[in-house]
Amino acid sequence: MFGALNIYSTVTDSFTDEEVILLTQLVRDISFGILTLRDLVLRMAAEQELRQLNLELKEHVRERTRGLSEAIEWLRELDRLKSMFIASMSHELRTLLNSIIRFMGIMVKGMTGGSMQSRSSSSA
């Protein structure tokens, strides 16, 4: 029970049985209407809150997507720089190794102009 409706008369037993039945039905209908209106107001408030939360969620998703896009671009740039570094280091190492290999070939063929021992004994 959330309320009361009093209908009275100064005359005793002034309402017939049929009027009492109609008044009882009227009270039930009014009660149903009030409860329905309360439920409607609560539902409308919940829907408004849901709309607000939905907007906030959409904004949060936009922000996260923007952040992830920036992170992806940053990672792509790092990957590009890594590839450039590896290519540069590979070139430098190959150049150095090719020089070493050529010099070793020259040494193996004996084209260095004599051994180190013969040079040191001739200068002494």
Side-chain angles (χ1 to χ4, degrees), residues 19-47:
E19 289 172 330
V20 170
I21 291 170
L22 285 173
L23 289 172
T24 302
Q25 186 61 43
L26 174 67
V27 168
R28 287 186 183 136
D29 291 345
I30 291 172
S31 174
F32 178 79
I34 290 172
L35 291 174
T36 301
L37 285 174
R38 285 182 179 177
D39 287 345
L40 179 63
V41 168
L42 290 174
R43 190 181 97 226
M44 289 171 64
E47 287 173 352

PDB file of all heavy atoms in Angstrom, residues 19-47:
ATOM      1  N   GLU A  19     -22.260   0.763  -5.765  1.00  0.00           N
ATOM      2  CA  GLU A  19     -21.379   1.924  -5.707  1.00  0.00           C
ATOM      3  C   GLU A  19     -20.055   1.579  -5.006  1.00  0.00           C
ATOM      4  O   GLU A  19     -18.993   2.036  -5.431  1.00  0.00           O
ATOM      5  CB  GLU A  19     -22.082   3.074  -4.968  1.00  0.00           C
ATOM      6  CG  GLU A  19     -23.216   3.691  -5.766  1.00  0.00           C
ATOM      7  CD  GLU A  19     -24.023   4.690  -4.960  1.00  0.00           C
ATOM      8  OE1 GLU A  19     -24.131   4.544  -3.718  1.00  0.00           O
ATOM      9  OE2 GLU A  19     -24.550   5.626  -5.582  1.00  0.00           O
ATOM     10  N   VAL A  20     -20.124   0.756  -3.990  1.00  0.00           N
ATOM     11  CA  VAL A  20     -18.902   0.329  -3.291  1.00  0.00           C
ATOM     12  C   VAL A  20     -18.018  -0.481  -4.243  1.00  0.00           C
ATOM     13  O   VAL A  20     -16.799  -0.296  -4.289  1.00  0.00           O
ATOM     14  CB  VAL A  20     -19.242  -0.477  -2.029  1.00  0.00           C
ATOM     15  CG1 VAL A  20     -17.998  -1.126  -1.428  1.00  0.00           C
ATOM     16  CG2 VAL A  20     -19.930   0.406  -0.988  1.00  0.00           C
ATOM     17  N   ILE A  21     -18.638  -1.370  -5.036  1.00  0.00           N
ATOM     18  CA  ILE A  21     -17.875  -2.152  -6.016  1.00  0.00           C
ATOM     19  C   ILE A  21     -17.232  -1.213  -7.038  1.00  0.00           C
ATOM     20  O   ILE A  21     -16.052  -1.345  -7.378  1.00  0.00           O
ATOM     21  CB  ILE A  21     -18.765  -3.209  -6.701  1.00  0.00           C
ATOM     22  CG1 ILE A  21     -19.151  -4.286  -5.699  1.00  0.00           C
ATOM     23  CG2 ILE A  21     -18.074  -3.810  -7.909  1.00  0.00           C
ATOM     24  CD1 ILE A  21     -20.222  -5.250  -6.203  1.00  0.00           C
ATOM     25  N   LEU A  22     -17.991  -0.239  -7.537  1.00  0.00           N
ATOM     26  CA  LEU A  22     -17.449   0.722  -8.509  1.00  0.00           C
ATOM     27  C   LEU A  22     -16.324   1.567  -7.893  1.00  0.00           C
ATOM     28  O   LEU A  22     -15.285   1.784  -8.533  1.00  0.00           O
ATOM     29  CB  LEU A  22     -18.556   1.635  -9.025  1.00  0.00           C
ATOM     30  CG  LEU A  22     -19.536   1.014 -10.026  1.00  0.00           C
ATOM     31  CD1 LEU A  22     -20.667   1.989 -10.322  1.00  0.00           C
ATOM     32  CD2 LEU A  22     -18.804   0.643 -11.301  1.00  0.00           C
ATOM     33  N   LEU A  23     -16.490   2.018  -6.667  1.00  0.00           N
ATOM     34  CA  LEU A  23     -15.457   2.811  -6.005  1.00  0.00           C
ATOM     35  C   LEU A  23     -14.192   1.972  -5.753  1.00  0.00           C
ATOM     36  O   LEU A  23     -13.066   2.460  -5.899  1.00  0.00           O
ATOM     37  CB  LEU A  23     -15.982   3.403  -4.695  1.00  0.00           C
ATOM     38  CG  LEU A  23     -17.024   4.524  -4.852  1.00  0.00           C
ATOM     39  CD1 LEU A  23     -17.629   4.893  -3.498  1.00  0.00           C
ATOM     40  CD2 LEU A  23     -16.392   5.742  -5.511  1.00  0.00           C
ATOM     41  N   THR A  24     -14.381   0.704  -5.393  1.00  0.00           N
ATOM     42  CA  THR A  24     -13.234  -0.203  -5.189  1.00  0.00           C
ATOM     43  C   THR A  24     -12.478  -0.381  -6.502  1.00  0.00           C
ATOM     44  O   THR A  24     -11.236  -0.340  -6.534  1.00  0.00           O
ATOM     45  CB  THR A  24     -13.710  -1.563  -4.648  1.00  0.00           C
ATOM     46  OG1 THR A  24     -14.421  -1.350  -3.414  1.00  0.00           O
ATOM     47  CG2 THR A  24     -12.549  -2.499  -4.416  1.00  0.00           C
ATOM     48  N   GLN A  25     -13.226  -0.584  -7.598  1.00  0.00           N
ATOM     49  CA  GLN A  25     -12.577  -0.712  -8.908  1.00  0.00           C
ATOM     50  C   GLN A  25     -11.865   0.584  -9.290  1.00  0.00           C
ATOM     51  O   GLN A  25     -10.769   0.556  -9.839  1.00  0.00           O
ATOM     52  CB  GLN A  25     -13.609  -1.092  -9.975  1.00  0.00           C
ATOM     53  CG  GLN A  25     -13.001  -1.386 -11.333  1.00  0.00           C
ATOM     54  CD  GLN A  25     -12.024  -2.561 -11.294  1.00  0.00           C
ATOM     55  OE1 GLN A  25     -12.288  -3.578 -10.660  1.00  0.00           O
ATOM     56  NE2 GLN A  25     -10.887  -2.408 -11.951  1.00  0.00           N
ATOM     57  N   LEU A  26     -12.481   1.736  -8.992  1.00  0.00           N
ATOM     58  CA  LEU A  26     -11.869   3.031  -9.260  1.00  0.00           C
ATOM     59  C   LEU A  26     -10.538   3.157  -8.519  1.00  0.00           C
ATOM     60  O   LEU A  26      -9.533   3.585  -9.098  1.00  0.00           O
ATOM     61  CB  LEU A  26     -12.817   4.164  -8.856  1.00  0.00           C
ATOM     62  CG  LEU A  26     -12.244   5.580  -8.942  1.00  0.00           C
ATOM     63  CD1 LEU A  26     -11.981   5.966 -10.393  1.00  0.00           C
ATOM     64  CD2 LEU A  26     -13.178   6.565  -8.270  1.00  0.00           C
ATOM     65  N   VAL A  27     -10.510   2.750  -7.263  1.00  0.00           N
ATOM     66  CA  VAL A  27      -9.273   2.830  -6.465  1.00  0.00           C
ATOM     67  C   VAL A  27      -8.199   1.927  -7.070  1.00  0.00           C
ATOM     68  O   VAL A  27      -7.033   2.311  -7.169  1.00  0.00           O
ATOM     69  CB  VAL A  27      -9.567   2.453  -4.990  1.00  0.00           C
ATOM     70  CG1 VAL A  27      -8.286   2.241  -4.212  1.00  0.00           C
ATOM     71  CG2 VAL A  27     -10.416   3.534  -4.334  1.00  0.00           C
ATOM     72  N   ARG A  28      -8.583   0.724  -7.493  1.00  0.00           N
ATOM     73  CA  ARG A  28      -7.613  -0.187  -8.127  1.00  0.00           C
ATOM     74  C   ARG A  28      -7.078   0.407  -9.429  1.00  0.00           C
ATOM     75  O   ARG A  28      -5.885   0.319  -9.715  1.00  0.00           O
ATOM     76  CB  ARG A  28      -8.258  -1.538  -8.389  1.00  0.00           C
ATOM     77  CG  ARG A  28      -8.461  -2.343  -7.132  1.00  0.00           C
ATOM     78  CD  ARG A  28      -8.974  -3.734  -7.443  1.00  0.00           C
ATOM     79  NE  ARG A  28      -9.233  -4.444  -6.213  1.00  0.00           N
ATOM     80  CZ  ARG A  28     -10.295  -5.182  -5.977  1.00  0.00           C
ATOM     81  NH1 ARG A  28     -11.220  -5.334  -6.914  1.00  0.00           N
ATOM     82  NH2 ARG A  28     -10.435  -5.802  -4.837  1.00  0.00           N
ATOM     83  N   ASP A  29      -7.956   1.010 -10.233  1.00  0.00           N
ATOM     84  CA  ASP A  29      -7.522   1.627 -11.497  1.00  0.00           C
ATOM     85  C   ASP A  29      -6.571   2.801 -11.248  1.00  0.00           C
ATOM     86  O   ASP A  29      -5.565   2.956 -11.954  1.00  0.00           O
ATOM     87  CB  ASP A  29      -8.724   2.084 -12.313  1.00  0.00           C
ATOM     88  CG  ASP A  29      -9.545   0.923 -12.866  1.00  0.00           C
ATOM     89  OD1 ASP A  29      -9.027  -0.222 -12.850  1.00  0.00           O
ATOM     90  OD2 ASP A  29     -10.684   1.160 -13.301  1.00  0.00           O
ATOM     91  N   ILE A  30      -6.903   3.628 -10.260  1.00  0.00           N
ATOM     92  CA  ILE A  30      -6.035   4.763  -9.920  1.00  0.00           C
ATOM     93  C   ILE A  30      -4.681   4.244  -9.440  1.00  0.00           C
ATOM     94  O   ILE A  30      -3.622   4.748  -9.842  1.00  0.00           O
ATOM     95  CB  ILE A  30      -6.695   5.667  -8.859  1.00  0.00           C
ATOM     96  CG1 ILE A  30      -7.896   6.403  -9.466  1.00  0.00           C
ATOM     97  CG2 ILE A  30      -5.680   6.659  -8.289  1.00  0.00           C
ATOM     98  CD1 ILE A  30      -8.733   7.160  -8.449  1.00  0.00           C
ATOM     99  N   SER A  31      -4.674   3.224  -8.593  1.00  0.00           N
ATOM    100  CA  SER A  31      -3.442   2.625  -8.099  1.00  0.00           C
ATOM    101  C   SER A  31      -2.604   2.082  -9.253  1.00  0.00           C
ATOM    102  O   SER A  31      -1.388   2.319  -9.318  1.00  0.00           O
ATOM    103  CB  SER A  31      -3.769   1.508  -7.112  1.00  0.00           C
ATOM    104  OG  SER A  31      -2.612   0.836  -6.719  1.00  0.00           O
ATOM    105  N   PHE A  32      -3.250   1.374 -10.172  1.00  0.00           N
ATOM    106  CA  PHE A  32      -2.548   0.840 -11.341  1.00  0.00           C
ATOM    107  C   PHE A  32      -1.950   1.977 -12.165  1.00  0.00           C
ATOM    108  O   PHE A  32      -0.800   1.903 -12.609  1.00  0.00           O
ATOM    109  CB  PHE A  32      -3.515   0.000 -12.186  1.00  0.00           C
ATOM    110  CG  PHE A  32      -2.871  -0.528 -13.432  1.00  0.00           C
ATOM    111  CD1 PHE A  32      -2.036  -1.631 -13.389  1.00  0.00           C
ATOM    112  CD2 PHE A  32      -3.102   0.090 -14.664  1.00  0.00           C
ATOM    113  CE1 PHE A  32      -1.440  -2.114 -14.537  1.00  0.00           C
ATOM    114  CE2 PHE A  32      -2.496  -0.389 -15.816  1.00  0.00           C
ATOM    115  CZ  PHE A  32      -1.669  -1.498 -15.759  1.00  0.00           C
ATOM    116  N   GLY A  33      -2.712   3.042 -12.369  1.00  0.00           N
ATOM    117  CA  GLY A  33      -2.227   4.188 -13.143  1.00  0.00           C
ATOM    118  C   GLY A  33      -1.022   4.847 -12.490  1.00  0.00           C
ATOM    119  O   GLY A  33      -0.038   5.188 -13.162  1.00  0.00           O
ATOM    120  N   ILE A  34      -1.073   5.020 -11.188  1.00  0.00           N
ATOM    121  CA  ILE A  34       0.040   5.653 -10.467  1.00  0.00           C
ATOM    122  C   ILE A  34       1.299   4.785 -10.569  1.00  0.00           C
ATOM    123  O   ILE A  34       2.388   5.280 -10.861  1.00  0.00           O
ATOM    124  CB  ILE A  34      -0.338   5.905  -8.995  1.00  0.00           C
ATOM    125  CG1 ILE A  34      -1.397   7.024  -8.922  1.00  0.00           C
ATOM    126  CG2 ILE A  34       0.893   6.268  -8.166  1.00  0.00           C
ATOM    127  CD1 ILE A  34      -1.990   7.215  -7.537  1.00  0.00           C
ATOM    128  N   LEU A  35       1.138   3.477 -10.351  1.00  0.00           N
ATOM    129  CA  LEU A  35       2.288   2.568 -10.447  1.00  0.00           C
ATOM    130  C   LEU A  35       2.856   2.541 -11.863  1.00  0.00           C
ATOM    131  O   LEU A  35       4.073   2.525 -12.063  1.00  0.00           O
ATOM    132  CB  LEU A  35       1.899   1.155  -9.999  1.00  0.00           C
ATOM    133  CG  LEU A  35       1.604   0.994  -8.508  1.00  0.00           C
ATOM    134  CD1 LEU A  35       1.087  -0.407  -8.220  1.00  0.00           C
ATOM    135  CD2 LEU A  35       2.834   1.299  -7.670  1.00  0.00           C
ATOM    136  N   THR A  36       1.963   2.562 -12.850  1.00  0.00           N
ATOM    137  CA  THR A  36       2.411   2.568 -14.244  1.00  0.00           C
ATOM    138  C   THR A  36       3.182   3.846 -14.547  1.00  0.00           C
ATOM    139  O   THR A  36       4.236   3.802 -15.209  1.00  0.00           O
ATOM    140  CB  THR A  36       1.209   2.415 -15.192  1.00  0.00           C
ATOM    141  OG1 THR A  36       0.540   1.192 -14.890  1.00  0.00           O
ATOM    142  CG2 THR A  36       1.643   2.417 -16.643  1.00  0.00           C
ATOM    143  N   LEU A  37       2.694   4.985 -14.075  1.00  0.00           N
ATOM    144  CA  LEU A  37       3.397   6.251 -14.282  1.00  0.00           C
ATOM    145  C   LEU A  37       4.763   6.251 -13.593  1.00  0.00           C
ATOM    146  O   LEU A  37       5.758   6.725 -14.159  1.00  0.00           O
ATOM    147  CB  LEU A  37       2.561   7.426 -13.788  1.00  0.00           C
ATOM    148  CG  LEU A  37       1.390   7.823 -14.688  1.00  0.00           C
ATOM    149  CD1 LEU A  37       0.549   8.896 -14.012  1.00  0.00           C
ATOM    150  CD2 LEU A  37       1.890   8.307 -16.038  1.00  0.00           C
ATOM    151  N   ARG A  38       4.824   5.702 -12.377  1.00  0.00           N
ATOM    152  CA  ARG A  38       6.111   5.626 -11.675  1.00  0.00           C
ATOM    153  C   ARG A  38       7.098   4.761 -12.463  1.00  0.00           C
ATOM    154  O   ARG A  38       8.265   5.114 -12.612  1.00  0.00           O
ATOM    155  CB  ARG A  38       5.922   5.058 -10.270  1.00  0.00           C
ATOM    156  CG  ARG A  38       5.313   6.036  -9.313  1.00  0.00           C
ATOM    157  CD  ARG A  38       5.199   5.445  -7.932  1.00  0.00           C
ATOM    158  NE  ARG A  38       4.637   6.395  -7.004  1.00  0.00           N
ATOM    159  CZ  ARG A  38       4.376   6.129  -5.742  1.00  0.00           C
ATOM    160  NH1 ARG A  38       4.628   4.921  -5.251  1.00  0.00           N
ATOM    161  NH2 ARG A  38       3.863   7.042  -4.951  1.00  0.00           N
ATOM    162  N   ASP A  39       6.612   3.617 -12.940  1.00  0.00           N
ATOM    163  CA  ASP A  39       7.474   2.739 -13.737  1.00  0.00           C
ATOM    164  C   ASP A  39       7.940   3.444 -15.010  1.00  0.00           C
ATOM    165  O   ASP A  39       9.100   3.312 -15.412  1.00  0.00           O
ATOM    166  CB  ASP A  39       6.740   1.436 -14.106  1.00  0.00           C
ATOM    167  CG  ASP A  39       6.577   0.504 -12.919  1.00  0.00           C
ATOM    168  OD1 ASP A  39       7.255   0.707 -11.889  1.00  0.00           O
ATOM    169  OD2 ASP A  39       5.765  -0.434 -13.032  1.00  0.00           O
ATOM    170  N   LEU A  40       7.035   4.195 -15.632  1.00  0.00           N
ATOM    171  CA  LEU A  40       7.380   4.919 -16.852  1.00  0.00           C
ATOM    172  C   LEU A  40       8.464   5.954 -16.575  1.00  0.00           C
ATOM    173  O   LEU A  40       9.433   6.080 -17.340  1.00  0.00           O
ATOM    174  CB  LEU A  40       6.132   5.584 -17.441  1.00  0.00           C
ATOM    175  CG  LEU A  40       6.343   6.405 -18.700  1.00  0.00           C
ATOM    176  CD1 LEU A  40       6.828   5.516 -19.845  1.00  0.00           C
ATOM    177  CD2 LEU A  40       5.063   7.125 -19.093  1.00  0.00           C
ATOM    178  N   VAL A  41       8.328   6.683 -15.488  1.00  0.00           N
ATOM    179  CA  VAL A  41       9.324   7.696 -15.120  1.00  0.00           C
ATOM    180  C   VAL A  41      10.671   7.025 -14.852  1.00  0.00           C
ATOM    181  O   VAL A  41      11.724   7.498 -15.306  1.00  0.00           O
ATOM    182  CB  VAL A  41       8.857   8.513 -13.900  1.00  0.00           C
ATOM    183  CG1 VAL A  41       9.980   9.349 -13.321  1.00  0.00           C
ATOM    184  CG2 VAL A  41       7.681   9.398 -14.273  1.00  0.00           C
ATOM    185  N   LEU A  42      10.663   5.908 -14.133  1.00  0.00           N
ATOM    186  CA  LEU A  42      11.912   5.186 -13.859  1.00  0.00           C
ATOM    187  C   LEU A  42      12.543   4.662 -15.148  1.00  0.00           C
ATOM    188  O   LEU A  42      13.761   4.742 -15.331  1.00  0.00           O
ATOM    189  CB  LEU A  42      11.659   4.025 -12.895  1.00  0.00           C
ATOM    190  CG  LEU A  42      11.335   4.407 -11.448  1.00  0.00           C
ATOM    191  CD1 LEU A  42      10.955   3.160 -10.651  1.00  0.00           C
ATOM    192  CD2 LEU A  42      12.507   5.125 -10.800  1.00  0.00           C
ATOM    193  N   ARG A  43      11.705   4.127 -16.046  1.00  0.00           N
ATOM    194  CA  ARG A  43      12.221   3.621 -17.308  1.00  0.00           C
ATOM    195  C   ARG A  43      12.824   4.738 -18.155  1.00  0.00           C
ATOM    196  O   ARG A  43      13.894   4.594 -18.740  1.00  0.00           O
ATOM    197  CB  ARG A  43      11.112   2.913 -18.095  1.00  0.00           C
ATOM    198  CG  ARG A  43      11.681   2.156 -19.313  1.00  0.00           C
ATOM    199  CD  ARG A  43      10.614   1.484 -20.120  1.00  0.00           C
ATOM    200  NE  ARG A  43      10.305   2.385 -21.217  1.00  0.00           N
ATOM    201  CZ  ARG A  43       9.091   2.714 -21.612  1.00  0.00           C
ATOM    202  NH1 ARG A  43       8.041   2.202 -21.019  1.00  0.00           N
ATOM    203  NH2 ARG A  43       8.902   3.543 -22.600  1.00  0.00           N
ATOM    204  N   MET A  44      12.146   5.893 -18.185  1.00  0.00           N
ATOM    205  CA  MET A  44      12.658   7.024 -18.952  1.00  0.00           C
ATOM    206  C   MET A  44      13.995   7.509 -18.376  1.00  0.00           C
ATOM    207  O   MET A  44      14.918   7.831 -19.123  1.00  0.00           O
ATOM    208  CB  MET A  44      11.636   8.159 -18.985  1.00  0.00           C
ATOM    209  CG  MET A  44      10.412   7.828 -19.847  1.00  0.00           C
ATOM    210  SD  MET A  44       9.077   9.030 -19.702  1.00  0.00           S
ATOM    211  CE  MET A  44       9.827  10.491 -20.357  1.00  0.00           C
ATOM    212  N   ALA A  45      14.120   7.530 -17.057  1.00  0.00           N
ATOM    213  CA  ALA A  45      15.378   7.935 -16.422  1.00  0.00           C
ATOM    214  C   ALA A  45      16.474   6.922 -16.752  1.00  0.00           C
ATOM    215  O   ALA A  45      17.612   7.310 -17.057  1.00  0.00           O
ATOM    216  CB  ALA A  45      15.197   8.052 -14.911  1.00  0.00           C
ATOM    217  N   ALA A  46      16.141   5.626 -16.718  1.00  0.00           N
ATOM    218  CA  ALA A  46      17.124   4.592 -17.050  1.00  0.00           C
ATOM    219  C   ALA A  46      17.547   4.693 -18.512  1.00  0.00           C
ATOM    220  O   ALA A  46      18.729   4.535 -18.839  1.00  0.00           O
ATOM    221  CB  ALA A  46      16.552   3.209 -16.752  1.00  0.00           C
ATOM    222  N   GLU A  47      16.588   4.975 -19.397  1.00  0.00           N
ATOM    223  CA  GLU A  47      16.923   5.126 -20.821  1.00  0.00           C
ATOM    224  C   GLU A  47      17.835   6.328 -21.042  1.00  0.00           C
ATOM    225  O   GLU A  47      18.775   6.259 -21.827  1.00  0.00           O
ATOM    226  CB  GLU A  47      15.648   5.267 -21.649  1.00  0.00           C
ATOM    227  CG  GLU A  47      14.868   3.984 -21.805  1.00  0.00           C
ATOM    228  CD  GLU A  47      13.527   4.180 -22.495  1.00  0.00           C
ATOM    229  OE1 GLU A  47      13.121   5.348 -22.725  1.00  0.00           O
ATOM    230  OE2 GLU A  47      12.875   3.168 -22.789  1.00  0.00           O
TER     231      GLU A  47
END
